[in-house]
Amino acid sequence: MEHFLGFAVPGIPYGCTYAIVAVGLVLNYQATGVFNFAYGAQAYISAYCFTRLVQGAGLPTGVAFLLSVVVLAPLFGLALDRFLFSKIAAANTTAKLVTGISLFVGIPAVLSVLFGNANIYNPPSILFNPNTVYFRLAGTPVNGIDLTTVLATVVVLVALVVLLRLTNLGLQMRGAVESRRLIELDGVNAGRVVAVAWAVSGFMAGLAGVLLAPIYGQLQFSDYTALMVAAFAAAAWAVLRSLVAAAAVGVAMGVVTTTLQGYLPVNSLWSSALFTSLPFIVLLVALLVVPGLRRLDRAKDPLASVDPPTPPSAASLRAPQMDRIIRPLWYLLLVAFVISMLTWLPTTWENVFNAGLVFSTIFLSITLITGMGGQLSLAQATLAGVGAFTAAQVATHLGLGLLVGGLVGSVTAALVAVVLAVASVRLRGLGLALMTLAAALFFDNTVFPQLLGSAAGQSIDVRTSWVPSLLLNPDGHAFFVLAFAVLLVCVATVQLVKRGTTGRFLAAMRGSETAASGMGINLTWQHLVVFALAGAVAGLGGTLQVIQQQAVSPALFNYELSLVYVVIVVTTGAGTVEGALQAGFGFVVLQQLLTYVPARLGGDSLVVVFFAFGALTYAAHPEGILEFQKRRWTARFERLFFGPETPATPGPGGRAPLAPAVASTTDGALSSGADSA
């Protein structure tokens, strides 16, 4: 027993770090109706400011805590509510998720741009001395960090339970989640109630941030992202309802983690794989077996249906006169691009545009799932990695080369996507996003580094025996032909699916799954089909990426890139093929242009900031801010050159779209307008 306690006791403060963040997530959801993906980023901001104020500015710990947690954290929470989440309809889960993911991706990038990437060590503790052992429990020393974390978790949990269950403000907060409009009929200022909830939630995030910072010894955002997944798992088992249950599951996960670490053989596959993957496994199991998670996204607000539909794409509204000008120009640009790539472009820009072809192929998988399927997957980079690693294994062990291996990898990625689709067949919105995120993290921490020949994240160089030597030629001409041909096939496939029966069925499902089911559409089958197609396209893109990079590396396909990819595509327009192409080329061109400016201005971080700000407009412009601007400028040019009475191009139903005639979705999904050429 003493041996067991020696392993279990250290897990209690470790689990409290999970618990305090899980409690904050549940509070945020219960009080505002938003599952805040940016919660870890909020915690990181306060921890960063607290540490900089103490170590850089020399302020006392108490003053730094007051400024970073008591003042900054609630104000930041209020800003999120005032400028972002209050403008999103209660039933629009997709917009909430995209906004949270944009903040999660963008906030650390902003800090990197403003303050650089210098390492910060030994963050201070707010209460007890981290280097002092205050007592021993079952032979285990309890230092200041452990004591601070446990006491803070208990105090916070008690205070929040009292707030939500025993006060009038807590009752109003829970009522605002059900329907802001209805509680206003009872004379309650719903906006004020929700704003207070965001301030309290922001304070919780700030407190969690400064409590967690000393545990790791170095302040880095990756620790907060890993912690967030464990907190997601604990909150999921509590069905985002019970603060006590979320805290209990969080502590239990910490205890189980350290206990398994103690009993399993050191340096064994089971030890390393299970230890790193336990939070993801717990989250996956919760999503599969907890029935309450399937009902999270069902609209509770009886007035939610008054929200307007999504605007159509620019191409669907283009006047015939403008269309006759744009189409020839588009084909002329395409021919000029091909000729330039094969003749005069310098090698640097050839590689940039080749990378744009690769990313455009991967981004088409997001067009399929998000644009056509109306769902949000956070594992598309992972599916690309499945295709790439499978192709590498086929080339290594069967000697068939990467080109044949790429086809096998595409099929394998499609099968993995189907498994995800089957596992999440009853999940939508938030549940599906969490499921795909958990799968992505599981592959990152277990499958890619342990089972696919790339231990410890090391890369595998592409061998000349895997591919024809022309594809590895520095001038990039042969690779351009290959990538261009693959992209054309994928674009044609997506267009055929979108305009065919499957595309119409998916559009009907985005409008209303209940109505689509009543019309005889098999919702499960359509869910599987769109996931399989998206997985196959992503797998092809992943194989192209390793040929272009000439290396197979887990770093090319980690979960963070899946989040960044979503942010990029929703900025340009996830509802159109054109949006995926613009996202792919825009991403790599911006990266290249920023290599010409001083590194202190941010580099790649500035690219992420740019697209993150664009994605923050998703709630107002779900068709994509770039697509919105194209529609505006197209209308202006039509009025300028053809006069104010220019007729519009008939919409999808054959009618001139005097009003937005698109398939509306309950979560504000995406336009079903036709793509441009």
Side-chain angles (χ1 to χ4, degrees), residues 7-8 11 250-262 274-275 278 282:
F7 292 138
V251 173
M253 287 174 58
V255 171
V256 170
T257 299
T258 56
T259 303
L260 290 175
Q261 192 177 20
L274 188 60
F275 176 68
L278 182 64
V282 172

Side-chain angles (χ1 to χ4, degrees), residues 68 166 171 174 269 324 384 391 395 405 425 476 484 549 603 610 617 630:
S68 60
L166 302 180
L171 178 63
R174 288 183 283 121
L269 175 63
R324 286 193 291 269
V425 70
F484 189 71
Q549 295 288 329
F610 176 81
T617 65
K630 283 162 54 182

